Amino acid sequence: MDPRFRSRLVAAIILIFVVCSVFSVSPVAGFRLENRDGSGTEAALAEALVLQQSTKIREEFMENLTVYIDSRSEVFRREGASVDVSGVYVPEENAVYIRSDRDPARADEVFVQQVGYRVYHTMGFGESKAFAALAENPGTYLARITAPPGEEREAAIFAEAFMLYHTSPAVLKKYAPEVHTYMDLLAKNGGDRAAVDDLFLHYQPE
């Protein structure tokens, strides 16, 4: 077993008990996680990492969201879907599908990225002139991002930046400091696109 996979599995198994207790006290409104891949090692790891990461994301970004750990879902076999895709956000279902049979140690990153797509599409960030300007020249790290089938490149950059902010903020801040500032304002002030844009345009570094 890969050492990175093993260490994250052990940590996840320990943390799942803590996470479950947190959820029993303060659940995200309507958030639901369903593991359809069973109780195998990979599926259990993916489930634990998603649960753990969900406690670190602002609740309104996940409200009434359903997450399926379902490697055999038809959404991964639809026309145009890439064979390398590990997660998909399905707007009409308000659901995220995640494969546990493809690098389950990154399930938390896949989950956050798909939540990023949800935020972009449901909270009006596709209308953000401020983020559109950032996406035109997002820095070398984000510039390499290619949009999956059916998605806009700007949405893909937003989702990747959203994921990095929550999982590797130092990387985002180093390679795309202005995008990091935008995501920081979003995470701290909520999903009001107009308000986030205004805060960003008038932002003064401390």
Side-chain angles (χ1 to χ4, degrees):
M1 183 183 292
D2 181 81
R4 179 171 176 264
F5 179 90
R6 185 189 300 110
S7 63
R8 296 197 74 178
L9 175 60
V10 172
I13 290 172
I14 295 171
L15 282 167
I16 193 168
F17 296 104
V18 178
V19 171
C20 288
S21 66
V22 170
F23 262 68
S24 66
V25 175
S26 180
V28 175
F31 177 82
R32 188 167 70 93
L33 173 62
E34 182 178 329
N35 181 359
R36 295 177 173 176
D37 281 354
S39 57
T41 301
E42 291 83 3
L45 175 61
E47 181 178 3
L49 290 174
V50 169
L51 278 173
Q52 177 191 358
Q53 191 63 49
S54 69
T55 65
K56 302 176 182 179
I57 302 174
R58 196 177 180 95
E59 289 189 9
E60 66 184 280
F61 298 155
M62 302 180 293
E63 189 172 359
N64 298 320
L65 179 69
T66 300
V67 178
Y68 298 103
I69 309 295
D70 188 358
S71 302
R72 294 177 294 278
S73 172
E74 285 298 319
V75 302
F76 296 113
R77 284 179 282 278
R78 289 177 181 171
E79 184 177 355
S82 170
V83 295
D84 297 324
V85 167
S86 297
V88 174
Y89 167 61
V90 182
E92 57 269 25
E93 298 180 28
N94 193 25
V96 168
Y97 288 81
I98 296 173
R99 296 183 63 165
S100 68
D101 64 347
R102 186 183 298 279
D103 199 3
R106 292 188 60 251
D108 50 348
E109 296 176 1
V110 174
F111 165 63
V112 183
Q113 183 186 55
Q114 299 310 312
V115 172
Y117 278 114
R118 179 184 186 273
V119 171
Y120 181 87
H121 288 298
T122 65
M123 296 186 170
F125 285 91
E127 305 299 320
S128 169
K129 293 182 179 179
F131 190 80
L134 291 173
E136 288 181 4
N137 185 22
T140 55
Y141 192 95
L142 292 173
R144 64 182 176 81
I145 299 301
T146 56
E151 280 290 0
E152 309 165 18
R153 183 171 181 272
E154 184 180 308
I157 291 173
F158 185 98
E160 185 76 7
F162 188 89
M163 181 273 288
L164 287 171
Y165 177 83
H166 286 88
T167 62
S168 302
V171 172
L172 184 63
K173 191 170 186 177
K174 178 179 179 180
Y175 292 102
E178 289 189 318
V179 177
H180 178 275
T181 296
Y182 191 91
M183 289 295 157
D184 190 54
L185 292 170
L186 169 63
K188 292 178 178 177
N189 295 280
D192 185 325
R193 189 267 305 164
V196 174
D197 279 8
D198 186 64
L199 287 168
F200 178 76
L201 293 172
H202 295 91
Y203 176 75
Q204 296 292 331
E206 296 180 357

